[in-house]
Amino acid sequence: MNAKFKPSRLGISGLAIRQHIGTLMLTLAVMIVGIFFVTTIQVDLLPSITYPRIGVRIETPGIAPEVAIDEITRPLEQALSATEGVEQVYSQTRENRVRLDLYFRVGGDIDQSLNDATAALNRASNNLPDNLEPPRLFKYDPSQLPVYEFALTSSIKKDVDLRVFADEELARELTVIPGVASVDVSGGVEEEVKVDIDLDRLQALGIGLRDVLDELEERNQDVAGGRLLGENGEPLTRAVGRFKTAEEIRNLSFAVNSNEENGASPRVYLRDFAEVIDGTQDQRIFVSLNGSPAVKLSVQKQPDANTIEVVDRVKEKIQNLTQSNIITNDMTLVTTLDESIFIKNSIQNVINSGLIGTGLAAFAVLLFLGSLRQTFIIVVSIPLATLGAVILMKIFGLSLNVFSLGGLALGVGIVVDNSIVMLETIADGVGIVPGKKSKSRLTSQNLINQSINSSQTVESALIASTSTNLVAVLPFLMIGGFISLLFNELILTISFAVAASILVALTVVPMLTSRLLSIRWSSGLHKFWPLYWFNQGFKQLTKGYGWLLSKLLKLRWLVVIIAFVVLGGSSLNLAKQVPQEILPSINTGQAQLIAQFPPNTSLETNREVMKITEDIFLQQPETQFVFSTSGGYLFGSNTTENVLRGSSNITLKSGTNIQAYIDRVSQEFEKLNLVDIRLRLFPDGVRGLILNNSPVRRADIDLILQGNDQNSLDEAGETVLKVLGEKATLAQFSPDGDPRQP
């Protein structure tokens, strides 16, 4: 130690050593609060993100797309484009559905934009056609996505009975679980009462079709009857008018226009000119699990609920329902989405990384210093700093997710660095050197003073080095843009881990070191021959390195030039070969198929093709199960009919090489020779993770054609697809081509 160095009484490490009882109490408080926060902190798959976009969905039953464009889509586009901050309005008009998406600049107040868009939508609603369902307007928030989905099949129940059980029994039981916000049921066949009117008979009776529809609507409702005044009370009354059976609808009466004067108009019943059928809806979307008809249930959690706890409660509830025979033996439940598994795996990976890092750090300290006490100090500092980082995460409203867990894993290495530097400096200052006679025979007070002096020699250096780490990380928070939405929590977590590591290194480590090294008892582990010979060998290696360094310093300019040419040149060459992407591919253990059919495709053709692809998937030994939809797609409670669309979600067995699986199955698809039918199979990503502010989510390049002539746009689109398809085929079979499907 430099003799001119004068320790400051204001130093953090010196204060922690002198006030060791207070430091110990604060350490215990951090441990208790940290453990409490670990058990109560919100756990999600993704950070709390609200993407800069707003969606509008309108159901348009019975309105042709060509008519809906003029009467619904364009008026809404004009009204919503006036929303402040909107940069792009993207719309899709299909049969029975209009979809609009508003894209805003990143960093704006999306809640205020939602209020403005709601006001604009309310003003435009007066000009929309009557009898439309109320438009649904929402933000793109991953926390509103389902956290658990499962498919329900039955070997004996009909499709309609399975849907009724899922709606009225299973969904009701799961909704009351704490933390569950809603349970949505989709797929299957819903009950429906059809009224098939004979228009010729209706015209002969002189009854208008509008009169029939109005009567059905007016009669099928309950009406408040007011208050019934009595001697013993004043109960409220209600006139019950809702239909309970199809027979009540058949007996609905109508007045018939009559030419008789001063006579009552004759009345006829609905059954006289219409057929009332108590049946099911016409099925337009077919859902299957491994080829069997299925119903899907989607569980959405409350925003502040713990994903793992909610999913575990749902699984426990399903198990109880099975044991009580509410879910009968003929039913099969198969999980198609479980976010808790991915989160648990991420948490387990971080725990494993922390344990491995702690073990390696302990082994390194034990190997070089040969001291059990110093090893114990390092082992304690790592989880303590991690708990400190979790406390800061909880205070600033962060959650445990795949990004913040990655930040905690990165912070473990920084914790070890700062703690070891402080530990070795104090140990060397008080004379604890492996293989040499210890100076720990000093009195306790002298050893504490020596510890204070030694710790303060590196205190400013540690603060400076840690500040450098923070300076290197924190500017990423100011980058802004779309990607900042994803990585803000990662950067903040790394910063919290760095801050916690320097606090532990400046307080807990010097306090423990000064007290534990004053213990006169020694294990004598440094005399154990493997450690002794390792340290002797390391000393010889250090001497050899010193001799080599002295020679290289005489040729320093030559060394610098050689290092620059070799390392710099190879780095530039390798940098061009390293793939560049925002995020690496995340293995979810699932693959997804998107089937796109040409115009004028029938629903039967769609079902036939999807059945063929499903059979191909089931023939693969790596396939665990296949969940498919034909004639549209399902998302939560939203069911979108689209005869030109089909999809399959394939869950693979553990350890499957997904890319090899996709390549092999794609080759089987090529043998089908499907004309103008595009089958795109790709690894399934993390739901809710959006990497660009584009209408096309799974595209690296977004190409939009605009024009006033629909026919010209269709021709141009087909030409572009043909050219891109040819280029992709050439790239696929070229030596340097990408083997994946275009």
Side-chain angles (χ1 to χ4, degrees):
M1 185 180 66
N2 191 346
K4 296 182 180 180
F5 177 79
K6 295 182 179 180
S8 172
R9 298 188 61 85
L10 299 178
I12 300 176
S13 58
L15 181 63
I17 294 174
R18 285 190 293 268
Q19 304 296 332
H20 62 284
I21 299 298
T23 305
L24 182 60
M25 292 299 101
L26 290 176
T27 302
L28 293 176
V30 169
M31 293 177 61
I32 295 173
V33 174
I35 293 174
F36 174 74
F37 281 173
V38 166
T39 59
T40 59
I41 192 171
Q42 184 177 350
V43 180
D44 283 324
L45 181 63
L46 295 175
S48 178
I49 306 171
T50 301
Y51 293 109
R53 58 178 65 176
I54 293 174
V56 181
R57 304 292 182 266
I58 303 177
E59 302 297 329
T60 59
I63 302 179
E66 294 79 7
V67 178
I69 290 177
D70 294 329
E71 296 186 358
I72 301 175
T73 306
R74 287 178 180 170
L76 288 180
E77 284 182 345
Q78 295 176 358
L80 294 174
S81 60
T83 305
E84 184 177 357
V86 66
E87 295 184 342
Q88 181 182 9
V89 178
Y90 179 79
S91 65
Q92 289 182 334
T93 305
R94 292 195 175 105
E95 183 178 350
N96 298 329
R97 185 179 178 88
V98 172
R99 165 181 173 175
L100 293 96
D101 290 309
L102 282 65
Y103 296 84
F104 298 85
R105 59 179 176 270
V106 179
D109 189 349
I110 195 66
D111 292 324
Q112 181 61 41
S113 299
L114 181 64
N115 294 334
D116 296 342
T118 302
L121 183 63
N122 293 335
R123 291 192 297 268
S125 298
N126 297 328
N127 300 324
L128 298 179
D130 297 333
N131 300 325
L132 284 180
E133 294 290 334
R136 187 169 61 92
L137 191 143
F138 59 91
K139 299 183 295 183
Y140 278 82
D141 188 351
S143 64
Q144 299 178 356
L145 298 177
V147 296
Y148 186 73
E149 292 182 344
F150 61 93
L152 177 67
T153 61
S154 174
S155 58
I156 61 175
K157 280 186 171 60
K158 297 181 180 180
D159 294 350
V160 60
D161 297 331
L162 192 64
R163 175 64 187 249
V164 170
F165 171 78
D167 273 325
E168 299 181 0
E169 296 288 341
L170 195 53
R172 182 184 62 189
E173 293 287 344
L174 298 180
T175 304
V176 299
I177 296 175
V180 173
S182 63
V183 179
D184 300 319
V185 181
S186 55
V189 184
E190 296 187 61
E191 292 181 303
E192 183 180 70
V193 177
K194 298 181 181 179
V195 180
D196 190 1
I197 299 176
D198 187 343
L199 296 181
D200 294 334
R201 179 63 177 160
L202 188 69
Q203 185 176 7
L205 293 172
I207 302 176
L209 179 61
R210 184 74 262 175
D211 296 334
V212 177
L213 298 178
D214 290 342
E215 186 70 13
L216 286 170
E217 182 178 358
E218 292 175 1
R219 286 288 303 273
N220 189 34
Q221 56 183 330
D222 297 337
V223 180
R227 191 180 301 276
L228 183 63
L229 302 179
E231 296 181 359
N232 298 324
E234 300 179 355
L236 294 174
T237 62
R238 181 170 62 98
V240 179
R242 287 187 177 275
F243 299 124
K244 296 182 179 179
T245 64
E247 191 64 26
E248 294 181 4
I249 302 177
R250 295 189 184 98
N251 295 330
L252 190 64
S253 63
F254 297 86
V256 179
N257 294 331
S258 175
N259 295 327
E260 298 180 3
E261 297 181 358
N262 300 325
S265 299
R267 303 186 70 84
V268 297
Y269 296 99
L270 183 64
R271 61 175 180 267
D272 296 330
F273 58 85
E275 182 182 6
V276 180
I277 305 172
D278 188 0
T280 61
Q281 291 180 342
D282 293 332
Q283 189 170 4
R284 298 292 299 172
I285 296 182
F286 294 84
V287 181
S288 64
L289 178 68
N290 291 342
S292 301
V295 173
K296 187 178 77 169
L297 288 91
S298 304
V299 179
Q300 180 181 339
K301 73 177 184 66
Q302 295 175 356
D304 297 333
N306 187 309
T307 300
I308 296 178
E309 292 180 356
V310 171
V311 174
D312 288 343
R313 290 169 186 162
V314 171
K315 292 179 180 178
E316 182 180 359
K317 186 67 173 181
I318 292 175
Q319 185 177 2
N320 294 337
L321 295 176
T322 303
Q323 294 174 352
S324 60
N325 206 31
I326 295 178
I327 300 177
T328 56
N329 295 330
D330 61 283
M331 298 182 187
T332 303
L333 278 74
V334 177
T335 302
T336 59
L337 172 69
D338 188 352
E339 287 192 354
S340 68
I341 294 178
F342 198 82
I343 298 174
K344 288 178 181 177
N345 290 339
S346 300
I347 293 176
Q348 188 61 47
N349 290 335
V350 172
I351 294 175
N352 293 338
S353 300
L355 293 176
I356 293 173
T358 303
L360 293 176
F363 178 75
V365 172
L366 189 63
L367 189 63
F368 284 93
L369 299 182
S371 173
L372 291 176
R373 285 172 287 183
Q374 297 178 54
T375 303
F376 170 77
I377 294 171
I378 296 300
V379 171
V380 169
S381 65
I382 295 177
L384 186 59
T386 303
L387 290 176
V390 172
I391 293 175
L392 293 175
M393 291 173 59
K394 180 72 174 180
I395 293 175
F396 285 88
L398 275 62
S399 63
L400 284 180
N401 52 72
V402 292
F403 289 91
S404 60
L405 288 173
L408 286 177
L410 290 174
V412 171
I414 301 174
V415 172
V416 175
D417 292 343
N418 290 336
S419 298
I420 289 180
V421 169
M422 177 62 74
L423 173 65
E424 189 174 4
T425 302
I426 296 177
D428 185 56
V430 298
I432 305 298
V433 180
K436 291 185 179 181
K437 188 176 180 180
S438 176
K439 296 181 182 179
S440 60
R441 298 299 179 184
L442 296 173
T443 63
S444 298
Q445 187 59 46
N446 290 337
L447 191 144
I448 291 174
N449 293 334
Q450 286 284 73
S451 299
I452 295 174
N453 295 339
S454 300
S455 63
Q456 291 188 352
T457 59
V458 295
E459 183 177 305
S460 59
L462 284 178
I463 295 176
S465 63
T466 306
S467 301
T468 303
N469 292 331
L470 290 175
V471 169
V473 172
L474 288 177
F476 285 97
L477 294 175
M478 298 181 287
I479 292 179
F482 196 82
I483 304 303
S484 65
L485 297 175
L486 300 175
F487 291 99
N488 277 350
E489 288 203 11
L490 173 65
I491 302 303
L492 287 174
T493 306
I494 295 175
S495 303
F496 294 156
V498 172
S501 71
I502 189 61
L503 287 176
V504 171
L506 293 179
T507 56
V508 179
V509 172
M511 184 271 293
L512 290 177
T513 304
S514 64
R515 301 298 163 174
L516 293 180
L517 293 184
S518 63
I519 300 176
R520 297 184 179 276
W521 176 85
S522 176
S523 63
L525 189 63
H526 62 277
K527 298 179 181 179
F528 186 51
W529 68 266
L531 296 180
Y532 176 79
W533 287 110
F534 173 81
N535 282 279
Q536 293 299 320
F538 187 75
K539 290 179 181 179
Q540 296 299 324
L541 183 63
T542 304
K543 292 180 180 179
Y545 171 72
W547 175 84
L548 179 62
L549 185 61
S550 63
K551 299 296 182 182
L552 292 178
L553 288 176
K554 298 178 181 179
L555 305 172
R556 51 185 177 275
W557 290 111
L558 180 61
V559 173
V560 171
I561 294 174
I562 294 176
F564 180 80
V565 173
V566 174
L567 298 180
S570 60
S571 299
L572 291 175
N573 186 36
L574 293 175
K576 299 178 182 179
Q577 303 177 16
V578 176
Q580 299 181 6
E581 53 187 356
I582 298 174
L583 282 177
S585 57
I586 301 176
N587 184 3
T588 61
Q590 294 181 325
Q592 187 172 2
L593 170 70
I594 299 296
Q596 295 178 333
F597 297 86
N600 301 321
T601 299
S602 65
L603 182 58
E604 290 300 322
T605 301
N606 186 314
R607 294 187 62 191
E608 182 179 354
V609 172
M610 294 305 298
K611 180 64 171 61
I612 294 174
T613 60
E614 198 171 50
D615 292 339
I616 292 177
F617 287 128
L618 294 175
Q619 292 171 4
Q620 309 303 317
E622 300 91 342
T623 301
Q624 186 172 354
F625 60 84
V626 181
F627 181 79
S628 300
T629 59
S630 177
Y633 52 92
L634 310 176
F635 187 79
S637 61
N638 300 324
T639 301
T640 303
E641 297 180 4
N642 187 354
V643 72
L644 307 181
R645 174 77 175 267
S647 63
S648 293
N649 186 275
I650 306 96
T651 299
L652 305 176
K653 297 178 181 178
S654 179
T656 300
N657 187 329
I658 295 182
Q659 191 57 55
Y661 177 89
I662 291 175
D663 294 340
R664 185 173 67 254
V665 175
S666 298
Q667 292 177 1
E668 295 293 330
F669 288 162
E670 292 177 0
K671 299 177 182 178
L672 300 177
N673 294 322
L674 300 175
V675 180
D676 295 333
I677 298 177
R678 295 180 178 272
L679 301 177
R680 183 170 175 238
L681 183 63
F682 50 87
D684 197 11
V686 178
R687 181 180 292 189
L689 187 60
I690 303 176
L691 301 179
N692 57 65
N693 205 20
S694 167
V696 184
R697 296 190 181 182
R698 294 188 179 274
D700 296 325
I701 299 177
D702 185 3
L703 178 62
I704 298 178
L705 302 179
Q706 290 181 310
N708 297 323
D709 188 359
Q710 184 64 40
N711 294 329
S712 299
L713 286 175
D714 292 339
E715 294 177 0
E718 291 295 332
T719 302
V720 172
L721 287 177
K722 182 178 179 181
V723 173
L724 292 177
E726 293 175 353
K727 297 291 185 182
T729 302
L730 292 175
Q732 179 181 355
F733 292 101
S734 64
D736 299 328
D738 189 344
R740 293 174 295 181
Q741 286 293 315

